Amino acid sequence: AQSVTQLGSHVSVSEGALVLLRCNYSSSVPPYLFWYVQYPNQGLQLLLKYTSAATLVKGINGFEAEFKKSETSFHLTKPSAHMSDAAEYFCAVSHTNAGKSTFGDGTTLTVKP
Amino acid sequence: GAVVSQHPSRVICKSGTSVKIECRSLDFQATTMFWYRQFPKQSLMLMATSNEGSKATYEQGVEKDKFLINHASLTLSTLTVTSAHPEDSSFYICSASTGLIYGYTFGSGTRLTVV
């Protein structure tokens, strides 16, 4: 069984501020973890993924996430928010790199000028 | 990179009619495709997993006779919503697997509105 909890359905930051989106997972086997971004009426775009290699994963658009097994967390960060980062973000867990995923409820990121 | 094309992007249909949504992998062969459903302001819920040449595996609670999935080739999977009703209105998204090494890619989604 696997599940994902995204803490905070809405996060608001000022432009240039740190972005932190929280994700905790539960998995009966070593997990594969993903962060996706979704813009209105569009599909999902992969930001980054953890596949049991390095625990600090760097993704696109300046995002990165750190896998912490002891905390069962995979939080997403970006040092400086841009207006274009405003979107919906989903954390997901899977048993493989290409199997079906379980998604969190999503976090809406708002970036204030 | 791997590209998945989903068509149509938006469709409006009358209650009682059927709608077909296509998901194509443009530059790779997808042995497995997943179909998800997303209600407004909600997360993605997996509906079914389709493997080329075999019957789709549906998640619990998904009506297989209502949501027909066909994966006849390595580059095309279709989802047909039969006898659509307003409650079927949703955003449907497919994803195609390129295998364990490369992971999978999502289509751009289809907004279905049943009136």
Side-chain angles (χ1 to χ4, degrees), chain A residues 33-112:
Chain A
L33 295 160
F34 309 83
W35 273 102
Y36 294 92
V37 61
Q38 184 182 35
Y39 296 97
N41 289 312
Q42 294 188 28
L44 275 68
Q45 181 182 15
L46 180 67
L47 286 175
L48 48 82
K49 61 182 177 182
Y50 167 76
T51 58
S52 76
T55 57
L56 182 62
V57 182
K58 294 186 182 298
I60 62 172
N61 301 339
F63 285 95
E64 64 180 38
E66 185 172 8
F67 173 72
K68 293 186 176 181
K69 184 178 179 180
S70 61
E71 300 177 8
T72 61
S73 68
F74 190 58
H75 302 331
L76 181 70
T77 61
K78 180 173 181 177
S80 176
H82 294 172
M83 297 297 293
S84 60
D85 294 327
E88 189 79 13
Y89 291 81
F90 291 97
C91 181
V93 63
S94 177
H95 288 168
T96 72
N97 191 30
K100 61 182 182 180
S101 291
T102 300
F103 287 82
D105 290 338
T107 297
T108 302
L109 176 64
T110 301
V111 182
K112 300 175 292 185

Side-chain angles (χ1 to χ4, degrees), chain B residues 4-6 22-23 34-36 92-96 105-107:
Chain B
V4 173
S5 174
Q6 189 171 340
E22 292 188 349
C23 182
F34 303 95
W35 287 95
Y36 294 86
Y92 293 87
I93 307 175
C94 69
S95 72
T105 304
F106 281 83

